[in-house]
Amino acid sequence: MNFLSQLLRLFLFFFYAFTFQNILCNNLSHVRCNEKDRQTLQIFKEGLIDPSNNLVTWSTQQDCCDWKGVHCDNTTSRVTKLDLSQQSLQGEIKLSLLELQFLYHLDLSENFFKVISTPPIQNDVIFGSNLHYLDLYYNDISMDNLHWLSQLSSLRYLNLGFTNLRYATNGLQLLFMLPSLSDLRLRYCQLNITTSLKNVNFTSLVTLDLSGNYFTSKSLRWLFNLSSDISHLDLNQISLSGNFDLQWLSQLHSVKYLDLSGIDLHKETNWLLAMPPSLSNLYMIDCQLTNISPSLKHVNLTSLVTLDLFLNNFNSELPHWLFNLSRDLSHLGLGDSSLFGEIPSSLFNYQNLEYLDLHYNMFSGSIPLTLGNLTYLVFLSIGSNSFSGTIYEMHFSRLQNLQELDLISTRFHFSPEWIPLFQLKELHLDETNQGPQFPPWIYTQKSLSILSMSSSKLSFVVEEKFWGLIAGIDERIDISNNSISGDISNVLLKSDFILLNHNNFTGTLPHLSPEVSYVDLSHNSFIGSIPHNWKKLKHLFFISLWNNNLCGEVLEKLSWSTYLKVINLEQNEFFGTIPNNMSRYLERVILRSNKFEGSIPPQLFFLSHLIHLDLAHNNFSGSIPQITYNATEMIADNYSTPLLVGDDIDLYEKGQVYEGKVNSRRRTIDLSANKISGEIPSELFGLIRVQTLNLSYNHLTGTIPKTIGGMKNLESLDLSNNKLFGEIPENMATLFFLSYLNLSCNNFSGQIPIGTQLQSFNVSSYDGNPELCGAPLTKCSMEKNVVDTIQSIMKEDGGFGEKSLYLGMGVGFAVGFCGLFGSLLIFRKWRQKYYRLLNPMYDYLYVTYILKFNRS
């Protein structure tokens, strides 16, 4: 019994000890946020705009250590890290965050912040900051004062990429003097460094990224002061006012990573000699490099692991020096570099290659079977060449590590029973004429994230397998321009990019994952309405449903997509009105040939990025909004081309004639074939960047506003089939780029303004205006010209001005002349007195002339 009793006591002891330890650990594991830190974070949040509600956890009901992106120290309970990258946040960054005494990591990158506010912060707080890592990359911030950054003495990593530092060049020297800074990234900061920076201190710098900025060739001299330990130098896409001197690079003996992409080096023939001896990663993409000097045939870069010469202009066979590189070479990029000839089998002796890009060149002949020696190969791109041979499965028999394969526009033959050793993540087989049957071996690829097989003449698929395949692809699916048919209404597509356009799909629209961002289902035979769950497509920025048999109200559901840039619903049976809350990022709105109705909301002309508005062939009514338009991309002289995806949008101009594809710089407004009434607002012609304007086939009245003369970029104007009247403004003759004009079927009157521009159009441009005259129509009568001239002067000046004075003098002289001589003809006595007055004057002048003539 005593033994059992002691055993029981021992068991209870361990039980209580274990329980107490769990309770203690649980209590310690939940660290409560420091109250001072919580207040500082709350002040920071007050400056934020959170449209996606990503910071819903930042509430007083939750401990701030549990807030999204906040990390606390388990012992001190102080905030040490704040990571809010890619949260779609807007508003201002309040630098009160620097009052977080123990904060060492701050990441606010890839948001939409516009302002950094610097409230009064005690200098000792800034100097006492423990911040090691600061990332503000890819926001919309402008900074002209970097003084606050220069006081962060503990900073080791700083990324201000895509921050506007145009007016902060003088502050750069302060950044370079930071004693602990080892990684500085100033990518595309609009820097304009035209003078050399003096007294810069690079003693700690290891990584420097200055890509995408502007330098004079002299201003690069300060880079000679780079730390001897610098290992990463990125000058990608820098702009130079002078020639780039490569020779100073050879002095950077520690550089291992060098990116000179985008710098014009077409005059450099000895560029390999200037490369630092320790170089292991070299990127010279799009440098306009040509064939190198023959003296460099035997150059041996023994440390090189990565060499990427994509997009150059060698215009030669593979250069000989390429076969003398390090045997450790793992990355070789030669795509789109104007290389030709056959690929020698010795290229595949680099058996450590993991990345090989030879695409879009002019290589011919057959692919050597030694390709199979590259057993470590992960990426292979050999498409878009001129190979005459066929690629067989034996080329890939040993490539078990392959993950990305590009065979675009090549000929290959794989047996239906082939099961490859690899599992691909990316497969590009566009324009390979694989059809009509979908290649069976692709069904074995269970890890595909990208499948691109556009224009491959596919028509037959094993439906169950095929639907399962495309449903599992999560990044990009492109099977456009084939003849695949079937009902995919029950398929859930989760790819970010979905291109199924130009096929024969039927049934209702497929289900889409909320993460989808690009959808092109145009030119199919889909029916029905937009699925209700499409409201959840918060990341959608491009959608095209053009040329289907869809119906119902659609715009209300798409208005939930707050980042939508391109919407093309042309040629369907959609109806309803345009909501007021459409995405503010819209660049192209195409609702053509549907049954939309209601008035045109003024909010459309407040879209600062809008460049293409096509509402033609609908039932819109009311008037064109008379407001101050704020469509910046249609107004600004120095506009920037928006970042657009999906340029395959048809453009209708020159009446209703199909004209082709619209490019990313073309500005278009087409409101034709609706029921729009009222006058044309003069503000519409303030959109001076518009190149195509079509208001035809409506019920517009009034005259053409004289502000049309300011549309200097206008190339196509169609106002036909309305109820417009009055004269054609004189300044329309100054629209020198106008190549198409249709003013027919209105009530215009008066003379067509004289000038080579308006007279260059044929009669059809002016037909259906009975009171209009002048070339190229019939000549205007003299009487009509005089009356029209007087009327136009009175309309312009509100009365008789200077032109009226001259016209009155002429008329007065004519009337006086007729009155005098008419009186002489009627009254005989007046005529006799007139002759008696003139005869003595005549005799005097005659005698004087004879006397002077005889003397001479």
Side-chain angles (χ1 to χ4, degrees), residues 595-614:
K595 296 181 179 179
F596 292 110
E597 57 189 3
S599 58
I600 301 173
Q603 285 79 0
L604 278 181
F605 296 98
F606 290 146
L607 299 173
S608 58
H609 301 288
L610 188 67
I611 66 167
H612 190 92
L613 178 63
D614 188 347

Side-chain angles (χ1 to χ4, degrees), residues 8 80-81 94 163 204 271 326 330 358 383 408 687 706 790:
L8 179 61
T80 58
K81 180 178 179 180
K94 291 190 174 183
T163 298
S204 301
W271 52 272
S326 166
S330 64
L358 303 176
I408 294 174
L687 303 177
K706 293 182 175 60
I790 296 174

